[in-house]
Amino acid sequence: MNRNDASQAPKTPATFHVKSFGCQMNVYDGERMAEMLGARGMTPAEGAEADLVILNTCHIREKAVDRVYSDIGRMTRDDGTRPMIAVAGCVAQAEGSEISRRAKTVDIVVGPQAYHRLPDLIEKAGRGEEAVDTDMPAASKFAALPGRTKQARPTAFLTIMEGCDKFCTYCVVPYTRGAEISRSWTAILDEAKALVDGGVKEITLLGQNVNAWTGDDDRGRAQGMDGLVRELAKIEALHRIRYTTSHPNDMSDGLIAAHGEIDKLMPFLHLPVQSGNDRILKAMNRSHDVSSYLRIIERVRAARPDIAVSGDFIVGFPGETDAEFEDTLKIVEQVRYAQCYSFKYSPRPGTPAADMDGQIPAEVMDDRLARLQAVINRHQVDFNTATVGRRADILLERKGRYPGQLIGKTPWLQSVHVTAPELSIGDMLEVDIVSAGPNSLAGEPSRRKAA
Ligand code: SAH
Ligand code: SF4
Ligand code: F3S
């Protein structure tokens, strides 16, 4: 590593700042890093004023990677000094020491499975040594991390499995996060209890294919995610359980049934399909087709009729014709998602699709994305409008813009603005939904619920 201007960075950082890009798992990892550094006596600080800045990066699309390099460039302070800079996350895993060649001010590169070793890497960097760790050690990082501290918010993420064995032809995740590994039953339950003891009321279970989680319970019986959810639901002070992201092929009968049986499991399912065309799904190596996907949605809706379904879509996968794109509009019309994420295909180095014939021109992708998003937005408004006049429990998560205003989420993950000056963040409240916009709802308290 070229350490030419390392003299401008602090040798023994006392303060830190973590900035996370990308998915919820990065948010979770960022929190664990912050808790670990906190446990070692370091204190949080703002932006480039911190002695150590950790950029917890995402490699999923080219744009996400560009943002990281522009951020690194902006770290130098007015007086010419700069923080110690660590690049963590999926760009770190994918590019390794290449990062510090491209951006000379990067002191540490640490992958998503090695960040428990950050303290050593900080010391190394302080001594001016190369500090790159993109190992995927057999022993889990989780065992080396300190326990969860009291949380500032009433909602928390909890990684229960990590990695992906599916190898969709467009996707970097199997390379950046490694193979699917489930955390143990006890580790998950212990962490959930610690979070709840620290005031958390809603836990979102995380995994790249979260519903592929498997493990043995404390009596040695094989369990799937539905068993785990059932056990978590026994934690009395835990009010709500969510999970993301699930894969259609891992939607077990037990998990589908759980949606109709476990009150604490929220009626929301993020189940990406990516395309509405079977030839494209095959080229994507998605290992499900349109009809098997629709069948799952049908069964989930039979188990829990009010469930809100969300999805992910990619437009402009190599070779996608106009007619094949139209099939994507069709599946969106059929499913009527409550919300969706949609992306232009981004060729990723090392993935099979990047070398496929028929890469789609940018203008065509722009046009397809705009048409898809128009349909998705219409359905999202429809979904929100349909909740007007309904009564819903919300968990108050943050303050609104006006005095006495609080914002909470419905079971269907919609944000609700409500004026309730006597209540606080973390309270549950029953509201009547009085109006709806594309991105949020307004509610009025119906009556105070025991929190
Ligand atoms: N494991 C999840 C998705 C993880 S990535 C699943 O299989 O559903 C989140 C989303 O990013 C994907 O669902 C996909 O829609 C999108 N995505 C992944 N790779 C992409 C690429 N190369 N270009 C554009 N979008 C991509
Ligand atoms: Fe990527 Fe496919 Fe794995 Fe999802 S299932 S993380 S899209 S390879
Ligand atoms: Fe991005 Fe890695 Fe998550 S590539 S989406 S941060 S798993």
Side-chain angles (χ1 to χ4, degrees), residues 21-27 29 56-61 64 89-91 112 162-163 171-174 176-177 208:
F21 305 79
C23 63
Q24 285 124 320
M25 195 175 285
N26 260 12
V27 174
D29 288 337
N56 191 23
T57 61
C58 174
H59 199 249
I60 201 83
R61 284 167 291 274
C90 289
V91 177
E162 200 168 341
C171 184
V172 293
V173 171
T176 63
R177 291 275 167 178
Q208 271 79 35

Side-chain angles (χ1 to χ4, degrees), residues 14 39 55 72 90 102 119 137 162 190 195 199 221 244 266 289 319 321 357 449:
L55 299 172
I72 295 170
C90 289
R102 182 168 158 192
E162 200 168 341
D190 286 351
L195 288 168
R221 293 171 305 193
T244 201
M266 291 293 105
D289 58 18
T321 63
D357 292 337
K449 293 257 294 190

Side-chain angles (χ1 to χ4, degrees), residues 12-75:
T12 47
T15 59
F16 69 92
H17 176 74
V18 186
K19 182 170 176 185
S20 289
F21 305 79
C23 63
Q24 285 124 320
M25 195 175 285
N26 260 12
V27 174
Y28 173 83
D29 288 337
E31 286 168 1
R32 302 290 318 246
M33 287 182 221
E35 287 172 355
M36 173 179 61
L37 298 178
R40 301 177 74 92
M42 290 178 71
T43 51
E46 278 310 306
E49 291 314 306
D51 297 337
L52 167 69
V53 172
I54 301 171
L55 299 172
N56 191 23
T57 61
C58 174
H59 199 249
I60 201 83
R61 284 167 291 274
E62 200 178 352
K63 248 195 208 155
V65 179
D66 292 344
R67 282 184 57 195
V68 174
Y69 282 100
S70 80
D71 256 40
I72 295 170
R74 277 189 269 117
M75 287 294 157

Side-chain angles (χ1 to χ4, degrees), residues 397-410:
E397 293 181 18
R398 57 198 168 93
K399 286 202 160 76
R401 209 175 336 149
Y402 305 106
Q405 193 187 48
L406 291 162
I407 302 172
K409 294 258 171 69
T410 66

Side-chain angles (χ1 to χ4, degrees), residues 251 253 256 294-304:
M251 236 23 240
D253 295 346
I256 292 174
L294 290 173
R295 176 85 190 107
I296 294 165
I297 301 286
E298 207 176 286
R299 290 175 55 218
V300 173
R301 282 181 168 156
R304 180 78 204 226

Side-chain angles (χ1 to χ4, degrees), residues 313-378:
F313 288 92
I314 297 176
V315 301
F317 184 81
E320 185 187 66
T321 63
D322 282 333
E324 287 166 341
F325 166 69
E326 301 276 341
D327 286 343
T328 292
L329 297 179
K330 255 181 236 158
I331 199 173
V332 171
E333 288 290 354
Q334 274 173 291
V335 175
R336 303 193 68 87
Y337 292 93
Q339 58 166 74
C340 272
Y341 299 95
S342 48
F343 311 99
K344 288 184 272 187
Y345 168 72
S346 171
R348 308 306 297 126
T351 60
D355 297 323
M356 284 180 187
D357 292 337
Q359 301 287 325
I360 305 293
E363 322 78 77
V364 176
M365 285 209 253
D366 287 337
D367 178 62
R368 288 180 187 171
L369 188 67
R371 288 177 63 198
L372 175 60
Q373 289 186 338
V375 182
I376 288 170
N377 291 345
R378 174 160 54 79

Side-chain angles (χ1 to χ4, degrees), residues 167-391:
F167 290 93
C168 299
T169 52
Y170 50 81
C171 184
V172 293
V173 171
Y175 312 97
T176 63
R177 291 275 167 178
E180 281 178 11
I181 293 176
S182 293
R183 291 182 68 193
S184 79
W185 174 273
T186 339
I188 295 165
L189 282 157
D190 286 351
E191 187 169 334
K193 284 175 193 152
L195 288 168
V196 173
D197 286 345
V200 165
K201 297 215 168 118
E202 173 181 305
I203 291 180
T204 301
L205 306 175
L206 297 182
Q208 271 79 35
N209 293 303
V210 69
N211 53 345
W213 182 89
T214 53
D216 291 340
D217 66 16
D218 47 4
R219 288 199 267 159
R221 293 171 305 193
Q223 295 282 358
M225 213 188 74
D226 50 311
L228 184 63
V229 169
R230 257 175 242 283
E231 193 68 19
L232 287 165
K234 292 182 190 159
I235 304 174
E236 210 171 314
L238 178 62
H239 290 233
R240 295 175 152 192
I241 302 167
R242 301 182 185 276
Y243 62 94
T244 201
T245 295
S246 28
H247 192 282
N249 287 9
D250 295 314
M251 236 23 240
S252 67
D253 295 346
L255 183 55
I256 292 174
H259 274 284
E261 293 164 5
I262 305 173
D263 287 342
K264 290 182 180 182
L265 182 58
M266 291 293 105
F268 189 96
L269 175 65
H270 182 61
L271 196 67
V273 66
Q274 314 297 352
S275 163
N277 177 272
D278 283 343
R279 192 193 72 84
I280 294 291
L281 288 176
K282 203 156 195 263
M284 287 177 162
N285 191 32
R286 282 294 294 184
S287 62
H288 57 77
D289 58 18
V290 170
S291 68
S292 64
Y293 177 83
L294 290 173
R295 176 85 190 107
I296 294 165
I297 301 286
E298 207 176 286
R299 290 175 55 218
V300 173
R301 282 181 168 156
R304 180 78 204 226
D306 70 337
I307 199 157
V309 180
S310 94
D312 289 349
F313 288 92
I314 297 176
V315 301
F317 184 81
E320 185 187 66
T321 63
D322 282 333
E324 287 166 341
F325 166 69
E326 301 276 341
D327 286 343
T328 292
L329 297 179
K330 255 181 236 158
I331 199 173
V332 171
E333 288 290 354
Q334 274 173 291
V335 175
R336 303 193 68 87
Y337 292 93
Q339 58 166 74
C340 272
Y341 299 95
S342 48
F343 311 99
K344 288 184 272 187
Y345 168 72
S346 171
R348 308 306 297 126
T351 60
D355 297 323
M356 284 180 187
D357 292 337
Q359 301 287 325
I360 305 293
E363 322 78 77
V364 176
M365 285 209 253
D366 287 337
D367 178 62
R368 288 180 187 171
L369 188 67
R371 288 177 63 198
L372 175 60
Q373 289 186 338
V375 182
I376 288 170
N377 291 345
R378 174 160 54 79
H379 292 167
Q380 188 171 327
V381 171
D382 289 350
F383 181 82
N384 286 346
T385 308
T387 53
V388 176
R390 280 174 86 161
R391 203 159 254 203

Side-chain angles (χ1 to χ4, degrees), residues 435-450:
S435 68
N439 299 312
S440 67
L441 311 173
E444 283 168 5
S446 52
R447 63 186 162 77
R448 174 95 200 246
K449 293 257 294 190

